[in-house]
Amino acid sequence: MDDFDSGDDLFDDVNADELVTKNKRPASQGHATPNGSGDSHNGGGSNSKRQRLDVVGVAQKLLKDKFGYDSFRHEQEAAIGSVLRGENTLVVFPTGAGKSLCYQIPAIAFADVDKLNGENRDFSGITIVVSPLIALMKDQTDALKRKGIAAECNDSTKSFEQLQEISADIRNGRLRMLYCSPEKLNNEGFVESLKYVPGGIRLLAVDEAHCISEWGHSFRPDYLKVARFVDEIKAERVVCLTATATPRVADDICKAFQIDQSNVLRTSPYRPNLHLEAMATSTDDEKIPLLLKYLESHDGSTLVYVTLQRQAEVLAARLKSAGHSAEAFHAGMKAEEKSSIQDRFMASEVRIVVATIAFGMGIDKANIRNIIHFNTSGTVEEYSQQVGRAGRDGLPSHCMMYICHEDWYIKENFARGDLPSRASLEGLLHDVFERETVKGRNGEEVIKLNHNELSQSWDIRASPLSIIFATLELRYGLLRAITPEYSSYQFEDRGFYNKMAASDGSPEAKAVFKHAKRARKWYTFDIKAAMAGGLSRADLVRKLNHWSEAGAIMLKAGGVEHRYRILKKLPSTHTQYKKLVSELHADMEGREEEALRHAQEVVDLITGKKCFAATLAEHFGIVAAQTPVKVNINGIKKILEVCDVRDDPRFLARVAFGIKSPRVTKLKLQNSSVFSSLEDHDFQSLLKEFTKACDEA
Ligand code: ADP
Ligand code: MG
């Protein structure tokens, strides 16, 4: 689920040389000048303690004047002070504690702080905020704008004209804050444009910074590129923000951004108003009457977390039929539907939202009374973040986790499905490295590919696939992702497309009209074919956007083409391939073990807590120490009969265990009787049996 921004086309037009000449800054105001560095004109020996107080004074005044709050909470003041002194800083506050102010206040304080430091800058520079949550960025920038703070985000919902205005504001130093998604960092034009901001990049804020850590619960490969981004745009300082406090994650973040232990600011995640409970059942079905009873006896806004999208829908329907006000929420739903449900939940018009992990990051509703885990969380951090959404108003709130063996099975299923076989990896690498290259803008070699297609051809799920590419990029330095392109655009006629096209005599309009073919409802515009006529991609996209804004068409981008610039000689010999495959595979095996360990930790957490009923401990003893089922040889034979795959034992084991993958879908095996026929088995023993069978074949 990549969110590529259509605004990418805009930044492709930015000419770096032009920017340099337009915005020549006197050397003394270069953004490489660290705040308060050695020879800054401090107006003669103002002692540093006094100055520190003054910095805090500036921050306090802004807190009152711009945000209307009287005092800082928790460690906010310390965090803001650290950032304003130029230190790289890590802020670990639970959700709702107020992390945003830790970069919003510095962003608008630099002008005053520079004066305080005796620095006479023409421009006070910009703060960049990297955040994975597009909806949230929009809310935040809207709120900031209402306070008179020049903040923008350049996400895909912006029109071409809006994006152009934003980039002009960046170039002219008019913007204080710019929010962007981590995917945007793959856009070379964007990265380039930030090198020439008047006053420089004063601060880079990395929100949800746990995404940078492979040990976090929501690792995003594109986040790994943030550290490189800091160097490239010469950000003066960095503040990372997260609610996830495990030492390993914090350690990863500190390493990536050279954050000193003394600049790690934490507040305790302990919330005395939350009642945490758990209950064990034998099956998922048994949970439903328990949940219904629970909802009767616990009033107020309620989030029910489930693991699978389908479960969210089924359970929401079940609650509705029992007379509750309930809606489902998951990543597979349409954007409008999701935001409408979120709004109605915020306004307490819907009492219960049954959601996957997709719901809740950044939800700021103070009076959520109940958080129910219909399925266990994948990790302890995930659990603590999710329950942290209850009772922000300080009033008593209840959290209940239901757990049964099926939950454990699903977690294992997730983890094991992410590890590709060696053969898959090897096939993938050959496919990618031996592709015909094209020449990039500056004559460099570029590989074009589509993650979706690769995922299908090599039977590797989307998320491990993107991790593989990030590894090839950051660890091996073989490739570098550059702006993806859309190979086609689709649009719907809103009633006057034909009229619009007919009255527009431009070559772009004619090309769109010629190369857009209508199926039943949607037109598909083959942009490649139109470009072959000598027109530029940017002009064509501009035309489409223009018609879309005028309301003549409804536009959506089509197939994405990922592009990678080749940075050094790619592996070519058998030995080189073998070595790379085994390193990548070992890496991913480690990740699989880690995911399983995480799931086990959730079980340990519950069983280890005194406040959970003692009977639970017994039950979990059973969950944790299951005796492996003896391998059913007939079952194995049956699978080998139905499925003639012999090149990938792991694939066969997955079929037996019931783990879906692109290849399973392609061979239509998920509906066959053998799929998940051995789900009660130990995965490793299945793998052993099928390896034997494949070796014999
Ligand atoms: P986080 O990112 O840590 O989850 P937010 O930054 O979204 O939390 O802040 C949560 C809420 O707390 C926001 O409504 C914010 O305006 C409010 N808030 C933050 N700091 C303060 C403060 N010092 N005084 C009062 N309210 C605050
Ligand atoms: Mg936040």
Side-chain angles (χ1 to χ4, degrees):
M1 240 160 303
D2 301 343
D3 5 89
F4 289 107
D5 293 346
S6 59
D8 286 341
D9 294 311
L10 169 66
F11 284 100
D12 273 355
D13 288 343
V14 175
N15 177 336
D17 296 333
E18 226 175 74
L19 292 172
V20 186
T21 46
K22 263 194 212 145
N23 294 301
K24 255 192 202 138
R25 280 170 285 165
S28 65
Q29 288 165 18
H31 54 248
T33 313
N35 183 18
S37 72
D39 60 2
S40 68
H41 337 282
N42 258 347
S46 66
N47 77 47
S48 79
K49 193 171 171 201
R50 210 204 113 98
Q51 203 179 312
R52 198 166 294 183
L53 282 175
D54 287 346
V55 166
V56 168
V58 167
Q60 227 135 26
K61 188 163 169 5
L62 289 168
L63 178 73
K64 182 83 185 129
D65 294 352
K66 290 283 183 187
F67 294 91
Y69 299 136
D70 290 322
S71 58
F72 285 114
R73 281 181 185 164
H74 317 291
E75 299 286 311
Q76 275 177 333
E77 186 181 304
I80 292 169
S82 169
V83 170
L84 286 175
R85 284 195 305 277
E87 309 281 347
N88 286 359
T89 304
L90 170 60
V91 174
V92 186
F93 297 172
T95 314
K99 289 186 284 297
S100 320
L101 283 186
C102 300
Y103 54 82
Q104 289 171 339
I105 290 207
I108 53 174
F110 286 123
D112 291 337
V113 169
D114 288 345
K115 275 195 214 118
L116 207 66
N117 288 338
E119 281 184 47
N120 206 355
R121 300 194 185 203
D122 288 344
F123 294 96
S124 60
I126 195 172
T127 290
I128 309 288
V129 184
V130 177
S131 162
L133 309 165
I134 291 184
L136 208 74
M137 297 198 279
K138 218 179 115 22
D139 291 350
Q140 286 211 1
T141 49
D142 287 349
L144 290 166
K145 276 192 250 185
R146 284 198 296 273
K147 295 177 178 28
I149 298 166
E152 281 294 353
C153 63
N154 57 7
D155 65 308
S156 55
T157 64
K158 292 280 186 304
S159 74
F160 181 78
E161 278 72 19
Q162 284 172 318
L163 287 170
Q164 226 165 12
E165 244 173 68
I166 294 172
S167 79
D169 284 348
I170 298 173
R171 267 200 307 273
N172 297 322
R174 281 198 293 262
L175 220 52
R176 291 282 70 76
M177 301 179 74
L178 177 71
Y179 285 71
C180 69
S181 66
E183 285 78 17
K184 201 85 195 177
L185 310 190
N186 288 330
N187 183 325
E188 286 184 308
F190 174 66
V191 176
E192 200 56 31
S193 74
L194 290 181
K195 293 183 186 168
Y196 311 103
V197 181
I201 314 296
R202 302 304 297 274
L203 170 65
L204 184 93
V206 186
D207 207 3
E208 311 292 345
H210 55 271
C211 296
I212 201 178
S213 169
E214 296 190 33
W215 313 116
H217 54 84
S218 39
F219 172 54
R220 309 237 312 200
D222 276 325
Y223 253 75
L224 290 174
K225 296 173 189 166
V226 177
R228 181 180 70 188
F229 181 61
V230 170
D231 287 341
E232 288 178 341
I233 63 171
K234 299 203 171 56
E236 275 181 21
R237 71 207 86 190
V238 180
V239 60
C240 295
L241 310 107
T242 178
T244 301
T246 66
R248 198 157 186 184
V249 171
D251 209 47
D252 270 2
I253 297 172
C254 288
K255 270 206 203 98
F257 296 102
Q258 291 111 39
I259 297 170
D260 199 85
Q261 273 310 309
S262 60
N263 295 319
V264 177
L265 297 155
R266 293 170 179 274
T267 62
S268 153
Y270 176 67
R271 303 263 299 278
N273 62 325
L274 300 186
H275 300 263
L276 306 181
E277 284 180 280
M279 191 179 252
T281 64
S282 314
T283 65
D284 243 11
D285 286 342
E286 277 178 26
K287 295 174 183 173
I288 292 175
L290 290 170
L291 173 64
L292 287 170
K293 219 169 134 204
Y294 192 92
L295 290 170
E296 295 295 326
S297 55
H298 294 79
D299 290 338
S301 290
T302 302
L303 280 177
V304 180
Y305 281 105
V306 295
T307 305
L308 307 171
Q309 299 186 353
R310 189 172 30 82
Q311 280 176 318
E313 283 172 9
V314 171
L315 189 57
R318 182 73 184 76
L319 295 181
K320 262 193 215 170
S321 74
H324 287 285
S325 151
E327 295 289 349
F329 185 106
H330 58 74
M333 287 166 35
K334 285 206 193 78
E336 309 93 75
E337 228 177 318
K338 283 192 288 192
S339 66
S340 138
I341 289 168
Q342 191 162 324
D343 291 347
R344 283 159 56 214
F345 181 71
M346 294 297 286
S348 300
E349 289 163 18
V350 171
R351 180 189 161 202
I352 304 166
V353 171
V354 184
T356 59
I357 188 172
F359 188 82
M361 257 221 252
I363 287 281
D364 187 16
K365 183 172 169 60
N367 61 347
I368 299 180
R369 290 275 74 85
N370 310 297
I371 303 278
I372 298 172
H373 285 86
F374 191 77
N375 302 118
T376 48
S377 316
T379 66
V380 174
E381 296 100 90
E382 206 175 287
Y383 176 72
S384 85
Q385 282 222 352
Q386 288 166 342
V387 297
R389 290 179 187 130
R392 297 224 182 126
D393 53 10
L395 297 176
S397 306
H398 292 86
C399 305
M400 170 59 92
M401 167 137 67
Y402 296 110
I403 183 164
C404 70
H405 183 251
E406 273 166 78
D407 290 327
W408 177 258
Y409 169 74
I410 289 172
K411 299 292 173 219
E412 179 171 12
N413 193 309
F414 268 19
R416 301 232 185 251
D418 273 356
L419 176 65
S421 65
R422 276 166 214 277
S424 282
L425 273 175
E426 187 159 351
L428 170 79
L429 294 182
H430 278 283
D431 183 350
V432 172
F433 294 160
E434 285 159 20
R435 255 165 211 244
E436 195 92 37
T437 59
V438 296
K439 287 270 180 266
R441 187 166 307 204
N442 305 312
E444 71 278 22
E445 305 274 329
V446 173
I447 304 177
K448 294 188 175 199
L449 45 86
N450 174 287
H451 279 203
N452 230 346
E453 271 168 37
L454 289 177
S455 175
Q456 297 291 329
S457 332
W458 302 108
D459 196 25
I460 301 175
R461 282 183 181 171
S463 119
L465 186 68
S466 51
I467 294 177
I468 293 171
F469 276 102
T471 310
L472 293 176
E473 176 162 352
L474 296 163
R475 188 181 317 153
Y476 293 95
L478 291 168
L479 307 169
R480 174 167 185 150
I482 57 177
T483 320
E485 285 179 345
Y486 293 102
S487 51
S488 70
Y489 282 80
Q490 287 190 317
F491 59 84
E492 194 186 323
D493 186 357
R494 282 251 181 102
F496 55 104
Y497 159 64
N498 282 303
K499 215 163 117 196
M500 195 84 177
S503 66
D504 187 332
S506 69
E508 288 78 24
K510 286 183 183 149
V512 173
F513 200 62
K514 182 170 165 202
H515 295 287
K517 297 278 177 298
R518 183 177 179 162
R520 266 207 318 254
K521 186 164 158 206
W522 290 91
Y523 285 81
T524 300
F525 171 48
D526 183 349
I527 195 162
K528 287 273 164 70
M531 284 163 68
L535 297 172
S536 84
R537 170 183 288 275
D539 286 339
L540 289 162
V541 173
R542 211 185 317 261
K543 183 56 69 186
L544 289 173
N545 277 319
H546 177 71
W547 287 352
S548 167
E549 263 171 54
I553 59 171
M554 183 157 84
L555 188 61
K556 67 170 185 184
V560 66
E561 205 165 51
H562 300 93
R563 301 188 303 153
Y564 291 88
R565 190 148 49 86
I566 299 178
L567 297 182
K568 59 182 184 208
K569 197 175 170 309
L570 299 174
S572 54
T573 65
H574 183 68
T575 334
Q576 285 169 339
Y577 270 103
K578 275 276 177 274
K579 180 165 179 288
L580 189 53
V581 166
S582 30
E583 286 174 11
L584 287 173
H585 193 265
D587 219 49
M588 302 183 93
E589 236 167 6
R591 213 168 275 128
E592 178 187 77
E593 276 161 32
E594 189 69 19
L596 291 170
R597 217 170 48 77
H598 276 321
Q600 183 60 50
E601 277 168 7
V602 176
V603 176
D604 293 346
L605 167 86
I606 301 167
T607 52
K609 276 272 190 272
K610 264 203 231 115
C611 56
F612 293 129
T615 44
L616 271 177
E618 248 169 73
H619 182 87
F620 289 124
I622 298 162
V623 171
Q626 272 187 86
T627 39
V629 176
K630 203 164 155 271
V631 176
N632 169 354
I633 296 298
N634 277 332
I636 299 271
K637 272 194 196 136
K638 203 143 164 236
I639 289 165
L640 290 168
E641 271 163 31
V642 172
C643 178
D644 59 8
V645 168
R646 292 296 178 273
D647 59 354
D648 189 350
R650 182 168 284 275
F651 172 82
L652 291 163
R654 283 197 204 141
V655 171
F657 200 71
I659 301 174
K660 277 192 202 151
S661 78
R663 193 175 183 185
V664 167
T665 315
K666 199 153 71 188
L667 299 177
K668 298 200 173 56
L669 282 168
Q670 75 269 32
N671 297 323
S672 110
S673 62
V674 293
F675 187 71
S676 77
S677 56
L678 303 179
E679 66 172 29
D680 56 346
H681 280 54
D682 170 47
F683 188 86
Q684 295 301 346
S685 349
L686 290 174
L687 189 58
K688 219 163 91 195
E689 287 304 323
F690 287 116
T691 306
K692 237 191 293 169
C694 287
D695 287 348
E696 280 163 15

